[in-house]
Amino acid sequence: MRNSVLKQVLIALEGWKDNPKGLEEGTFKTGDWLKSTRMVGLSTGEKHFIFGGIAQDLRSDGRQRLHYRPISVETGVIPQANGSARVRIGATDVIASIKAELGKPSMHQPGKGKISIFVDCSPTAAPMFEGRGGEELSTELAVALQRCLLGGKSGAGAGIDLSSLIVTEGKICWDLYIDGLVVSSDGNLLDALGAAIKAALSNTGIPKVNVDLGPSPDDQPEVNVSDEEFLQFDTSGVPVIVTLTKVGRHYIVDATSEEESQMSSAVSVSVNRHGHICGLTKRGGAGLDPSVIMDMISVGKHVSEQLITVLDSEISAAEASATD
Amino acid sequence: MRELRVGLNQTQKVRLQSALKQLEELSSRVSNSSTASVTVADTIPVNLEDGVLKGHGTTDHNGEVVATLCGVVERVNKLVYVRTLRARYKPEIGDIIVGRVIEVAPKQWRLEINFSQDAVLMLSSMNLPDGIQRRRTAVDELNMRSIFEENNVICAEVRGFQHDGSLHLQARSQKYGKLERGQLLTVPPYLVKRRKQHFHHLEQYGVDLILGCNGFIWVGEHIEANEDEMMQEKAFTPFVTRRNICLIANAVRVLSVLGFNLSLEVIIDTVEASSSSNLDIKDMLGAEFCVQTAEREVQRRTTLIKKKG
């Protein structure tokens, strides 16, 4: 996964040599996100102040470049879902819910379940999300999340283990529907959604299933879904997403919407507990030097260690208070 | 309104609750009938023989005047109405406000000021730098963008409502005008009370603090009125000043999360408390400092009441 993305980046950069304009026009075709976050109108003075803060390693709310805002997690917020969580990072507020349904595995991968990720931007977050306004951003976020959590098309390098979702190979599997909802937006939505999905997965109980296979292998098997027994989902391998936003010559984590409006490009790295990269996405029109990307990945990996620790303790605290 | 949420642990929750309860008791001791606050369905004591006029937020119920909104009872002659506490900003003449330019229109700028409509700043309501009135020339009108552009943050004074209902501003002195090199904070407008002074130059910090009545608060580097503008364009804010700006901005954030009135004394007090406890600036937005600030406010108000009594 990591190699293929880097290859893409390199190919794009090769192309840039021949056609320098191509990159500015968005070879990655991810400029739309950038456009939508630009609604925050800032005067030149304020922009200059933000740039200066990032250059001097003291951002507007007193954080350094690699500091996250306080994170709070709440689990089990939606009783109808199999698992749900609400994550707040500063003023950014997102909810993730997980619904499990029985389905049939695809022909190509009989040994694996299916996961689909959808994101919705609520109009309460910003007036521009009203009607179809939030659709563009929602799709971008969903695609980025799929890349960061589900790995490649073949399912290789997936952060979530798809083979644990199988009930009967080739016949029955669990389909997980992951829905993200952006309630309030103050930048860094992808990291927040990633954290919410991680928390929701650890909150998820999948009902125990008894399968009575028919006498012949072609028969449709009979399925009994238990109402009482639930299996916990193994979330130790679920990665966290760290977005490094490049503003000026430096890059920062956990950008607020004001800072995001000033970004030239952003790289999102999803890293699991073992420090392995599970996915990588880049957005923003401006190109990046491959060495900068490598640098960003290693910084992202370092930051993810702290983030995982914080998130784990928050999730376990939330689970403890939910059972009280 | 974007709001910060703080995750409190169990002991912090208990401490915050007790602090807030104490504050509640203190405020109920101070208040008298003239500033009585009501919630929905509270009876408003009136002398019905005087023939009261029931205003906004009141209704007649079994011969009694009953509040239909939460807020403060206001009486103007015969009229009785309820002024809600969490309402949008309502401008009054002479208010100092901070706003953002959203449109450069013929002879005027339109400003977002957190009011139900946009405010208008006429070109003719701006004096020339040496205090002379403008002459209405076409050239002057064409150069409007050299004064304020879209998205600029500016500070002005409420001039009044025109006949057509639009709100007009004026900026006739040196202290008004464009604000640069700093950050704009948005707080609920009811936290900023009208005072004599809204411009504060904090000399010990080298920071300008403008508490706009509309809940827009500007914290920025101090700029002398006659300083050369070209000089400042390139250089970044010095690190020490930036630190102070962040400190003050975070103090304002904490106070607005807790819902305390923003006055210069309280803000400075919070800043000093944070620097004396050697706290990292970013940790000011954390739970512990938030609880401490609430407890300090209880102490401050108790001593105030003791002094009065």
Side-chain angles (χ1 to χ4, degrees):
Chain A
M1 184 62 207
R2 168 175 158 178
N3 273 334
S4 74
V5 171
L6 275 179
K7 212 181 277 169
Q8 259 185 33
V9 173
L10 287 171
I11 290 165
L13 283 166
E14 279 300 317
W16 177 67
K17 267 189 209 153
D18 307 329
N19 172 23
K21 274 220 170 127
L23 210 60
E24 279 164 26
E25 282 160 15
T27 315
F28 289 93
K29 217 183 173 311
T30 41
D32 296 336
W33 193 338
L34 195 70
K35 220 187 294 157
S36 59
T37 50
R38 254 214 189 127
M39 54 161 207
V40 198
L42 290 176
S43 68
T44 16
E46 287 169 287
K47 283 178 197 167
H48 187 73
F49 187 79
I50 290 176
F51 266 103
I54 290 165
Q56 292 173 348
D57 205 8
L58 184 69
R59 289 150 71 182
S60 299
D61 47 7
R63 282 183 293 154
Q64 287 177 352
R65 285 196 283 264
L66 299 181
H67 279 159
Y68 264 83
R69 288 171 283 182
I71 298 175
S72 76
V73 179
E74 218 179 310
T75 53
V77 286
I78 300 169
Q80 298 95 323
N82 289 69
S84 59
R86 179 177 196 170
V87 168
R88 296 196 186 93
I89 303 185
T92 295
D93 191 344
V94 298
I95 297 175
S97 86
I98 287 163
K99 187 94 182 139
E101 267 174 32
L102 282 175
K104 219 179 159 199
S106 73
M107 299 282 275
H108 309 289
Q109 293 161 321
K112 280 178 178 162
K114 288 175 283 186
I115 297 182
S116 0
I117 301 179
F118 303 98
V119 178
D120 189 26
C121 292
S122 158
T124 55
M128 51 167 287
F129 293 153
E130 208 161 327
R132 302 173 75 93
E135 245 168 50
E136 233 171 84
L137 178 63
S138 304
T139 346
E140 284 238 36
L141 284 169
V143 169
L145 281 170
Q146 272 161 16
R147 280 198 201 136
C148 283
L149 300 175
L150 304 183
K153 270 223 171 69
S154 63
I160 303 168
D161 185 15
L162 293 178
S163 50
S164 66
L165 293 172
I166 205 77
V167 179
T168 314
E169 193 168 322
K171 295 252 188 235
I172 306 164
C173 70
W174 285 107
D175 291 347
L176 286 193
Y177 293 96
I178 302 181
D179 288 286
L181 176 69
V182 177
V183 183
S184 163
S185 154
D186 188 18
N188 206 19
L189 289 174
L190 195 60
D191 292 18
L193 283 166
I197 290 173
K198 189 178 161 73
L201 279 172
S202 71
N203 179 244
T204 301
I206 292 175
K208 204 175 175 192
V209 182
N210 289 317
V211 185
D212 293 326
L213 283 174
S216 80
D218 295 335
D219 278 356
Q220 199 51 245
E222 215 166 276
V223 183
N224 285 316
V225 180
S226 160
D227 291 340
E228 283 143 19
E229 277 183 279
F230 290 93
L231 297 173
Q232 276 295 320
F233 200 79
D234 179 28
T235 53
S236 57
V238 179
V240 293
I241 303 173
V242 175
T243 303
L244 293 138
T245 311
K246 193 153 185 282
V247 181
R249 289 200 293 151
H250 303 273
Y251 42 82
I252 53 173
V253 300
D254 194 18
T256 61
S257 49
E258 280 88 6
E259 288 164 338
E260 262 179 15
S261 71
Q262 296 311 308
M263 78 176 192
S264 56
S265 52
V267 171
S268 300
V269 196
S270 76
V271 189
N272 68 11
R273 198 178 303 276
H274 312 294
H276 295 158
I277 312 288
C278 300
L280 193 69
T281 46
K282 176 190 168 295
R283 62 179 207 270
L288 286 171
D289 195 77
S291 67
V292 174
I293 295 191
M294 291 313 283
D295 203 29
M296 279 175 146
I297 290 173
S298 68
V299 170
K301 192 181 142 185
H302 180 69
V303 172
S304 74
E305 286 168 20
Q306 299 157 15
L307 182 62
I308 286 176
T309 327
V310 172
L311 212 57
D312 277 346
S313 70
E314 283 292 328
I315 290 172
S316 56
E319 292 279 354
S321 68
T323 49
D324 279 349
Chain B
M1 182 139 312
R2 280 189 260 145
E3 204 178 321
L4 292 165
R5 295 287 190 120
V6 269
L8 300 162
N9 64 27
Q10 207 56 46
T11 45
Q12 283 166 341
K13 225 178 254 175
V14 173
R15 277 167 62 201
L16 185 62
Q17 266 163 7
S18 79
L20 292 179
K21 199 170 177 195
Q22 273 174 299
L23 283 174
E24 210 173 295
E25 280 164 11
L26 286 175
S27 68
S28 64
R29 210 186 303 166
V30 174
S31 65
N32 48 37
S33 59
S34 66
T35 58
S37 53
V38 287
T39 58
V40 176
D42 276 0
T43 313
I44 301 169
V46 284
N47 199 349
L48 283 171
E49 282 156 30
D50 298 347
V52 284
L53 287 167
K54 292 183 292 294
H56 181 70
T58 62
T59 188
D60 191 48
H61 188 258
N62 298 340
E64 280 181 331
V65 180
V66 174
T68 56
L69 290 169
C70 299
V72 179
V73 179
E74 295 273 353
R75 289 157 207 261
V76 182
N77 297 330
K78 280 181 180 175
L79 177 71
V80 176
Y81 68 93
V82 177
R83 182 170 55 86
T84 50
L85 290 173
R86 286 172 181 262
R88 226 166 225 283
Y89 167 64
K90 196 162 163 286
E92 281 174 27
I93 294 172
D95 277 359
I96 310 266
I97 53 120
V98 176
R100 196 184 284 279
V101 178
I102 53 167
E103 190 189 340
V104 181
K107 290 186 204 161
Q108 61 182 39
W109 292 275
R110 293 192 158 274
L111 273 81
E112 148 68 23
I113 59 159
N114 204 17
F115 179 44
S116 50
Q117 66 190 51
D118 294 330
V120 170
L121 176 62
M122 298 293 290
L123 178 61
S124 55
S125 310
M126 291 267 312
N127 278 13
L128 287 169
D130 33 7
I132 312 165
Q133 275 233 330
R134 273 175 194 281
R135 307 180 72 182
R136 300 180 182 200
T137 60
V139 181
D140 205 18
E141 222 179 290
L142 286 170
N143 287 334
M144 273 174 71
R145 273 212 175 78
S146 68
I147 308 175
F148 300 136
E149 278 179 336
E150 283 91 348
N151 288 333
N152 275 165
V153 179
I154 67 171
C155 169
E157 185 188 312
V158 175
R159 181 167 151 219
F161 287 93
Q162 292 311 95
H163 295 297
D164 57 352
S166 63
L167 178 71
H168 277 230
L169 306 174
Q170 58 182 2
R172 290 197 187 279
S173 113
Q174 277 288 331
K175 60 181 183 177
Y176 301 123
K178 207 192 290 190
L179 301 169
E180 281 177 312
R181 304 157 78 74
Q183 49 178 322
L184 180 73
L185 305 169
T186 323
V187 301
Y190 55 83
L191 295 181
V192 183
K193 293 278 171 274
R194 293 184 175 89
R195 280 166 200 272
K196 275 190 187 143
Q197 238 347 304
H198 283 270
F199 292 91
H200 301 287
H201 171 207
L202 312 173
E203 273 170 45
Q204 69 269 45
Y205 299 108
V207 170
D208 273 338
L209 174 69
I210 303 173
L211 303 169
C213 290
N214 56 342
F216 286 9
I217 290 177
W218 179 261
V219 193
E221 189 183 336
H222 177 66
I223 290 169
E224 286 296 330
N226 49 6
E227 232 174 286
D228 190 1
E229 274 189 30
M230 292 309 284
M231 276 281 286
Q232 313 161 356
E233 280 294 304
K234 285 158 200 162
F236 287 138
T237 310
F239 186 76
V240 182
T241 317
R242 181 181 294 278
R243 235 186 92 80
N244 291 333
I245 291 173
C246 293
L247 258 173
I248 294 167
N250 273 4
V252 172
R253 286 188 182 111
V254 171
L255 291 169
S256 80
V257 164
L258 289 164
F260 293 156
N261 279 343
L262 295 168
S263 65
L264 185 66
E265 304 85 67
V266 180
I267 295 171
I268 293 298
D269 190 47
T270 316
V271 169
E272 277 168 0
S274 120
S275 22
S276 68
S277 60
N278 254 335
L279 208 65
D280 216 15
I281 302 177
K282 79 177 167 78
D283 292 332
M284 285 174 76
L285 301 177
E288 182 58 32
F289 190 73
C290 189
V291 175
Q292 278 172 12
T293 309
E295 286 171 343
R296 215 172 28 252
E297 180 72 7
V298 175
Q299 256 174 23
R300 197 181 68 89
R301 289 197 197 172
T302 332
T303 46
L304 266 183
I305 286 170
K306 267 187 197 150
K307 263 184 209 162
K308 270 186 202 163

